[in-house]
Every structure is written in structure tokens, then in C-alpha cells.
Amino acid sequence: MAGVGGHGGNDNIAAGGSVSTSLGAGVIASGDNGAGNGGSGYFSGAIVDAPVVIYHPINIAMAGSGGTAHASQSNTVDIDQSATQIAGVGGSGGNANVAAGGSVITLDPSWGSSNGGSIWDVQTGGSQAGNGGDGAFYGGLVHTSFVLYDPINIAVAGYGSNVHSVQTNDAYVDQSIVQIAGIGGHGGNGNAAAGGHASLLSHGLWGGSDTIATGSNGAGNGGNGYFVGSLIDVSVAIYAPINIAIAGPHSTALADQVNNVHIDQSAVQIAGLGGDGGNGNLALGGDLSAHLLSDLHLMG
């Protein structure tokens, strides 16, 4: 596992402070708060899994003329080369978090005038709560499992002899793989992101504000998933049991072979998926109370 963002916490509160001013100011911002958001996950490089298993039992019985050769081989093999590779996954957003922008109150008679103080931006929004982190992946996930299972059983007897060769093999090879990369985290549930309250009063001298923003809040949104690279699964299994019984003239040769083989090379590859959005979330723009506004350029 590499580049995995942590999950956001639960039941957190992030609140912007209140701003009260009677003088002009350049910027008043009480929003941009975050609570319970999942961390982003970024991965650049390669995760490589290249296990090699060689299982090669040999059983040989040889007898001369007038002799008896008996070769018996019983093999039980369990090879597990399964792999799980996870990279660049954003953490899930937390639940039941609150991110609220603070209040803004101004009583500046010269607010917005050309010869007095001026507030260019009043921002009480931009709060985020319980959003899933983005997942970004650049590189490669490689799985190259190789299994060579080659049991050999040989019984050789000379003239006038008896040869008996028995081979019983039970083999289970698991080369399954799960590769996950660039997955955005799920958005949390039951979160609230609210812009703060803005109360603006002038005495008829207000020339206009450039920007008043109390929105741009987000709650419980699923994170984006980004993937650039490759997912590779190259599983190879070679199962070649050999059972040989050789007898000369006027002899008896018996070769029995029983094989039970199960090879699992299933693969699941997931890349570049955005996380699901949460449920029961609330995102509200803040209230704006303004009096005697002659020229309001933008309200969001």
C-alpha cells in the first residue's frame, strides 16, 4: 500500500471567527473552514510483486534382471501467491462534521467610497465538511507470479521383472490479485457546511463592494480519482507431472497417476474512480443583510 490518504474524523467542528469593524479594510474572510475531510492520497512510482516458486520432486526406482522396482510418489502442495496492491487512494470523509463561516458586521460610513476606506472582499463561505480526499496515481502496479510444479516418478525394471509406478498429486495454486489505484475517497454522511452571516450598514455613502461571497460551501462530496500508468498481471503456472513405468519383455508394467489440480489466476483491477457522494449533508450559503446599497457588483 502506498500513497493512501487517511480518513476524515467524525463529529468535528470548524468555525470561522466573527469580524466586527467600523473602519475600512481590504479583505474580510471568516470562511474557508474544513472539518472531517479525508486526506488526499498521491503515489508516484511502481509497486512490484514477482514471487517465484519452483517445486520439483523426483522419485526413481530401478531394478536389474529378475528384480522388482516399485516407485510411489504422493504430493500435496498449497501455493498461495495472491497479492493486494493499493496506491493513491484518497481517504473517506468523516461523518457528522460542521464547518461554518463566521459573522461579518460593519458600520463604516465611508465603506466603498472612493475617498475613504474600502472593503474589496467579504467572504464568509468556502467551508468544507466531510468531503472525500482525491486519489492520484502515477506509475505502475506489476504482478508477475511464476509457478513451476514438475513432479517426476520413474520405475524401471529389467527382463523378467515387475515394475509398479504410482503417483498421486494434489496441487492448489492461488495467483489471484487485487490492484487498486487512483480512487477518490467516499464523502461522509450527515455533515453541514454553512457560510457565515454578513451584516452591512452604510449611511448612504457606499459606492459599492467588488465582491461579497457567502456561498461556495461543500459537504459530503466524493473525492476525484486520477490514474496514469499501468496495471499488469502476468501469472504463469506450469503443471507437468510425469509418471513412467518401463518393463522388459515377458514383464508387467503398471503406471497409475491421479492428479487433482486447482489453479486460481483471477484478477481484479480498479483504477481512476471517483468516490461516491455522502448522504444527508447540508451546504448553505451565509445570510447577507445590507441596507442602503446603491451599487452591489456581485453576490454569491
Side-chain angles (χ1 to χ4, degrees):
M1 300 175 65
V4 180
H7 297 307
N10 301 320
D11 301 321
N12 299 292
I13 297 177
S18 299
V19 177
S20 177
T21 178
S22 59
L23 298 175
V27 176
I28 296 178
S30 64
D32 293 332
N33 305 297
N37 299 318
S40 299
Y42 301 99
F43 177 84
S44 178
I47 295 180
V48 180
D49 175 36
V52 177
V53 174
I54 299 176
Y55 182 79
H56 194 181
I58 299 176
N59 185 27
I60 299 175
M62 300 180 66
S65 300
T68 300
H70 179 76
S72 179
Q73 188 181 79
S74 178
N75 302 310
T76 301
V77 180
D78 186 355
I79 300 173
D80 184 359
Q81 290 182 315
S82 60
T84 300
Q85 296 177 325
I86 302 175
V89 180
S92 300
N95 301 318
N97 299 289
V98 176
S103 299
V104 176
I105 300 175
T106 180
L107 299 173
D108 184 10
S110 62
W111 193 58
S113 64
S114 60
N115 56 0
S118 177
I119 295 180
W120 294 103
D121 293 289
V122 176
Q123 300 175 349
T124 63
S127 302
Q128 306 289 332
N131 298 320
D134 294 335
F137 176 83
Y138 304 89
L141 299 179
V142 181
H143 175 59
T144 54
S145 297
F146 178 80
V147 174
L148 174 60
Y149 181 77
D150 191 13
I152 299 175
N153 186 25
I154 300 175
V156 179
Y159 293 99
S161 303
N162 295 320
V163 61
H164 182 67
S165 179
V166 178
Q167 188 180 78
T168 301
N169 301 311
D170 294 322
Y172 177 78
V173 178
D174 182 2
Q175 291 181 316
S176 61
I177 182 173
V178 177
Q179 294 178 325
I180 301 175
I183 311 299
H186 297 305
N189 300 319
N191 300 289
H197 177 78
S199 179
L200 311 173
L201 301 175
S202 75
H203 291 176
L205 301 178
W206 192 4
S209 170
D210 283 348
T211 303
I212 298 177
T214 62
S216 300
N217 304 301
N221 299 317
N224 296 322
Y226 303 98
F227 176 83
V228 177
S230 59
L231 300 176
I232 301 175
D233 175 35
V234 187
S235 297
V236 178
I238 300 176
Y239 181 80
I242 299 175
N243 186 26
I244 301 175
I246 300 176
H250 309 293
S251 302
T252 300
L254 178 63
D256 294 328
Q257 188 180 79
V258 178
N259 299 313
N260 296 315
V261 181
H262 179 77
I263 299 175
D264 183 2
Q265 290 181 316
S266 60
V268 177
Q269 296 176 326
I270 302 174
L273 296 181
D276 296 327
N279 301 315
N281 300 290
L282 182 64
L284 296 176
D287 296 329
L288 174 63
S289 177
H291 302 279
L292 301 178
L293 306 185
S294 60
D295 184 15
L296 184 60
H297 293 171
L298 174 62
M299 293 179 59

